Amino acid sequence: MMKDFDSSSPIRLNIGGKKFYTTVTTLTQRDPDSMLAAMFSGRHTLCQEEGYVFVDRDGKHFRHILNWLRDGVVPILKDSKFSELLREAEYYQLLGLIDGIHAVQNKKEGEESDSELTRTDILKCIQSEKVRFRGVNLSGLDLSKLDLSFVDFSYACLRNVFFSRANLHCAKFKDADAEGAIFHNATLRECEFTGANLRGALLAGANLQSANLQDACLINCSFCQADLRSAHLQNADLTNANLERELFWKEQI
């Protein structure tokens, strides 16, 4: 068993049988809130086998994770491989890599988007006091980092919309189709998601305090590091949702 690591010394990892060499600095510096950073922070005791720290995950894409931790560049992969890498990034709670993967995917999908409006159209609209996109098709749009507080998206098609770091305080998503939407690090306090389809949506790091998710479809959603305090989840379908409780999940039901 081992606990303390010299940040500058080499460290050996065994990821599902594949061997890697790196340093604690590489594993902890770029994304200090990740699971990897927590593992090697000195706060946790790790199991070592034959000089390797063992992690029970598929090591197929761990080299891409290490390269991103080293230089911050998201690799260019086929869509199927991106999905596999995304799953590993979610497991290690590397929110910066998750964000980067979706940014690359949305850039490619943007050329084929059938959205009725553009980001520029949205920017013009949100200057009004009351903004409604009820029933509008906005699929595939990049709406990241916008102030969309109190906007009404009820019944809208929001598939694969990129809401990363957006302010959506008190926004309405009643019965909206937001399958695959990205809400990474978004502010979703007191939002209305009643009956919404959020299948496969990414809500990692989102602030969902007092949000209403009753009767919502949350199948395969990722909530790692999300704040779900006082959120309403009655009758929501949480099948296969990622509700990482051990270190980061702050939800209280």
Side-chain angles (χ1 to χ4, degrees):
M1 306 296 288
M2 58 190 299
K3 181 174 180 178
D4 298 321
F5 301 92
D6 183 340
S7 62
S8 61
S9 299
I11 187 168
R12 298 188 292 180
L13 301 175
N14 180 344
I15 312 297
K18 292 186 179 294
K19 309 293 180 63
F20 298 91
Y21 295 83
T22 185
T23 66
V24 173
T25 298
T26 295
L27 295 171
T28 60
Q29 192 169 49
R30 185 169 298 280
D31 202 333
D33 294 323
S34 71
M35 179 184 289
L36 285 173
M39 286 173 62
F40 294 97
S41 65
R43 302 191 305 269
H44 305 283
T45 300
L46 302 177
C47 182
Q48 184 182 26
E49 296 181 358
E50 299 181 355
Y52 289 84
V53 175
F54 179 74
V55 180
D56 189 17
R57 295 293 293 182
D58 189 344
K60 181 179 179 181
H61 295 297
F62 196 75
R63 68 183 182 90
H64 295 309
I65 288 174
L66 273 183
N67 287 334
W68 179 81
L69 288 170
R70 289 165 177 150
D71 56 34
V73 177
V74 178
I76 302 301
L77 303 172
K78 294 181 179 179
D79 289 343
S80 60
K81 302 300 181 184
F82 258 140
S83 296
E84 294 173 3
L85 178 59
L86 179 61
R87 180 58 59 187
E88 295 307 300
E90 289 178 351
Y91 175 78
Y92 294 114
Q93 298 175 0
L94 295 164
L95 300 186
L97 178 55
I98 293 169
D99 201 2
I101 291 171
H102 285 295
V104 172
Q105 290 180 318
N106 281 357
K107 185 176 181 180
K108 292 194 300 183
E109 293 172 359
E111 298 176 359
E112 303 175 359
S113 173
D114 55 358
S115 172
E116 297 174 37
L117 299 172
T118 66
R119 181 182 173 92
T120 301
D121 295 329
I122 301 296
L123 284 169
K124 292 177 181 178
C125 290
I126 61 178
Q127 295 175 11
S128 304
E129 287 188 12
K130 293 184 178 180
V131 184
R132 295 182 180 180
F133 296 112
R134 295 169 66 92
V136 177
N137 183 0
L138 302 175
S139 59
L141 280 188
D142 180 1
L143 301 181
S144 61
K145 303 179 183 178
L146 296 182
D147 184 357
L148 301 168
S149 52
F150 297 95
V151 173
D152 189 350
F153 293 102
S154 298
Y155 312 106
C157 180
L158 304 170
R159 290 190 169 220
N160 301 310
V161 171
F162 196 45
F163 287 111
S164 179
R165 297 185 173 88
N167 177 13
L168 291 154
H169 176 227
C170 286
K172 295 181 180 179
F173 295 90
K174 179 178 173 61
D175 291 316
D177 183 0
E179 182 169 339
I182 310 304
F183 294 95
H184 164 221
N185 277 1
T187 298
L188 296 164
R189 289 174 47 242
E190 302 178 70
C191 279
E192 175 68 56
F193 284 101
T194 305
N197 174 23
L198 291 163
R199 180 188 292 264
L202 178 67
L203 295 122
N207 183 347
L208 286 151
Q209 289 185 41
S210 301
N212 187 354
L213 294 153
Q214 294 183 64
D215 299 308
C217 175
L218 304 175
I219 297 172
N220 294 324
C221 282
S222 176
F223 289 97
C224 73
Q225 289 187 294
D227 188 344
L228 283 157
R229 286 176 294 180
S230 301
H232 304 284
L233 295 163
Q234 291 89 337
N235 299 319
D237 189 344
L238 289 157
T239 304
N240 295 325
N242 180 3
L243 301 171
E244 294 288 347
R245 289 175 178 265
E246 294 184 8
L247 293 175
F248 302 109
W249 197 38
K250 297 180 276 186
E251 179 268 351
Q252 298 176 353
I253 303 179

